[in-house]
Amino acid sequence: MEGFNKLQVYTGSGKGKTSAALGVAFRACARGARVLMLCFLKDDPNYSEAIGAHLLPGFTLKQVGRDTFVDFKNPAQADLDMARSGWEESKKAIAGRAADLIILDEINIVLQTGMLPVDEVVNFLADNKGNAEVICTGRGAPQKLCAIADLVTDMQEVKHYFHLGVSSRAGIDF
């Protein structure tokens, strides 16, 4: 779609990075855009976005990570392989203009923890700007990614009910 050509980054310690990207997806779908969301660290079919993905016309969600805890200090080979496979799928989608809006959910964490090389991802995104609107989400967005982005939002936690012992809630937090 015309005008879908920017790189956005949603990062920070606060809640709402994926939710903000989904808000943009909702708007894009309402205007007839094709949306692809690749979830790098959320391969749980019980996530609400996975359950409801079919409700938005033009919205496709692909979970490209495992539904288990990732040890970011010493990631399992399976996690590294899945990150690589998800990135290869992302590159094909971006270069091939498979969607108007492509969300790379939690890729910032994947980059920050070294599961994928920052320079490789940043160089590809810089070289392919304009093929789609791309949104990268997750804590710890590398500075190199932020430097090439057209929009960077840093969501900071001020207060969170989690610290009071409230667990994540289906339909609200996941």
Side-chain angles (χ1 to χ4, degrees):
M1 289 189 78
E2 190 171 329
F4 282 59
N5 57 11
K6 304 290 187 222
L7 174 62
Q8 301 184 31
V9 175
Y10 301 159
T11 193
S13 63
K15 179 182 176 331
K17 297 169 287 291
T18 297
S19 298
L22 287 167
V24 175
F26 181 81
R27 289 183 188 134
C29 288
R31 297 294 181 161
R34 299 166 298 143
V35 177
L36 173 62
M37 181 173 180
L38 294 128
C39 302
F40 279 83
L41 298 175
K42 297 175 182 169
D43 188 20
D44 185 340
N46 290 315
Y47 273 101
S48 295
E49 50 264 40
I51 293 169
H54 70 282
L55 298 173
L56 277 178
F59 183 88
T60 302
L61 182 138
K62 293 186 178 182
Q63 295 173 307
V64 296
R66 288 197 299 166
D67 68 341
T68 185
F69 177 78
V70 176
D71 179 358
F72 293 117
K73 293 182 180 167
N74 187 25
Q77 188 61 49
D79 294 314
L80 296 173
D81 292 345
M82 291 182 90
R84 171 55 60 189
S85 176
W87 173 237
E88 293 303 322
E89 187 170 348
S90 301
K91 290 192 317 186
K92 283 181 189 173
I94 293 167
R97 301 174 190 253
D100 303 301
L101 170 62
I102 299 173
I103 300 168
L104 306 178
D105 190 44
E106 304 295 0
I107 196 166
N108 298 345
I109 296 173
V110 169
L111 295 174
Q112 184 229 8
T113 59
M115 293 175 68
L116 287 172
V118 171
D119 287 340
E120 175 187 338
V121 173
V122 168
N123 290 339
F124 178 85
L125 292 174
D127 291 345
N128 287 274
K129 258 192 179 182
N131 288 353
E133 190 86 9
V134 177
I135 300 176
C136 299
T137 72
R139 295 172 183 252
Q143 184 53 42
K144 288 181 179 182
L145 178 62
C146 293
I148 67 161
D150 299 293
L151 179 148
V152 178
T153 298
D154 187 358
M155 298 179 178
Q156 294 302 309
E157 180 181 317
V158 175
K159 187 177 186 179
H160 198 303
Y161 43 78
F162 177 79
H163 300 295
L164 300 174
V166 177
S167 297
S168 293
R169 301 170 296 150
I172 301 293
D173 300 309
F174 69 93

